Amino acid sequence: MIELYTNTTSNGRKISIALEELALPYNAIKIDTQAGGSRTPEYLQINPNGKIPAIVDPDGPGGQRFVMFESAAILVYLADKTGRLLAYKGAARYAALQWLQVEASGVSPDAFWLFYIGLKEKNEQAATMLRTDLARLYGVLDKRLGHSPYLAGDELSIADIAHFPWVAGATSWQGIDLEPYAHLRRWYGELAARDSFQKGMKIPA
Ligand SMILES: N[C@@H](CCC(=O)N[C@@H](CS)C(=O)NCC(=O)O)C(=O)O
């Protein structure tokens, strides 16, 4: 069974949602990152970068134990392992990877630093800057979702899963009004209604 090292954060929940959606059996192990749990010598053996999420798959490539970290890479791995949530080749594959990259290099760092520097350390200048850029990115997603049901096109993909837990926090802790983003709200409502997304968002308990 896959072991998922995670915490109650958006980066962790991307992976629990994907595992639920793919119906892959897994065991979630909560790592208390606030208490330094991701920087212990044992955990650094799994993720030398000292962050959640990470997975250990006893049935990895070639049937061997396989360890992976970085949420976007884990999503690609799980999709390729099952042949779902990412087209095997062609335009739909590259569209999904492109939107996944928007999350990994734009939405995720904006929201992460908004939380830690803007809100926890109460740096208002940083909060405003990061919130403004995050809202701009939500506008980019909204525009895309005005043309296709999902970010990569007609099919649900790992790009949608990667963005979902961040958009879930928009109106609450990020302080971003989603009212102007009708397409993003339509997409969010549809995904939020899926059992897999509901279950994945509650991991770890
Ligand atoms: N780029 C990484 C980011 C992971 C990340 O920032 N994880 C945070 C929690 S959301 C963490 O583990 N922080 C603990 C630390 O830095 O000590 C990914 O996508 O996996």
Side-chain angles (χ1 to χ4, degrees):
M1 189 184 298
I2 291 175
E3 291 194 328
L4 166 63
Y5 295 84
T6 189
N7 201 357
T8 55
T9 65
S10 298
N11 279 317
R13 284 173 171 159
K14 293 174 213 172
I15 309 304
S16 41
I17 292 172
L19 288 163
E20 295 287 344
E21 186 68 34
L22 294 167
L24 283 169
Y26 68 102
N27 177 33
I29 299 151
K30 185 174 175 179
I31 299 293
D32 188 348
T33 49
Q34 307 270 16
S38 59
R39 303 291 167 112
T40 63
E42 296 76 31
Y43 188 74
L44 290 171
Q45 298 275 329
I46 293 168
N47 184 352
N49 196 25
K51 291 177 189 292
I52 65 95
I55 61 163
V56 179
D57 184 356
D59 184 26
Q64 302 293 305
R65 178 180 183 270
F66 192 59
V67 182
M68 269 211 97
F69 55 90
E70 282 297 324
S71 59
I74 297 171
L75 288 173
V76 173
Y77 172 73
L78 294 175
D80 282 350
K81 178 181 170 77
T82 53
R84 292 181 48 210
L85 295 175
L86 178 63
Y88 170 62
K89 60 180 183 174
R93 181 177 182 88
Y94 301 114
L97 294 175
Q98 166 190 271
W99 288 104
L100 183 64
Q101 191 62 23
V102 170
E103 185 274 334
S105 65
V107 170
S108 172
D110 272 2
F112 183 87
W113 292 117
L114 170 62
F115 184 77
Y116 281 100
I117 300 205
L119 306 178
K120 270 190 104 176
E121 292 185 14
K122 299 193 192 326
N123 181 327
E124 285 187 17
Q125 199 183 353
T128 303
M129 201 183 80
L130 291 162
R131 189 179 290 117
T132 302
D133 196 57
L134 193 51
R136 181 191 66 79
L137 285 168
Y138 288 160
V140 174
L141 300 182
D142 181 66
K143 205 166 175 189
R144 166 64 178 168
L145 292 166
H147 296 289
S148 65
Y150 300 103
L151 288 169
D154 291 337
E155 306 284 337
L156 177 72
S157 79
I158 52 173
D160 301 292
I161 292 177
H163 283 93
F164 181 85
W166 300 115
V167 178
T171 55
S172 53
W173 63 268
Q174 294 161 20
I176 297 173
D177 181 9
L178 291 185
E179 187 55 32
Y181 307 133
H183 307 297
L184 188 63
R185 285 189 283 110
R186 185 267 307 155
W187 167 92
Y188 180 78
E190 286 171 13
L191 298 190
R194 293 172 86 99
D195 272 2
S196 51
F197 281 66
Q198 289 174 16
K199 284 188 188 147
M201 285 295 280
K202 291 190 190 123
I203 302 289

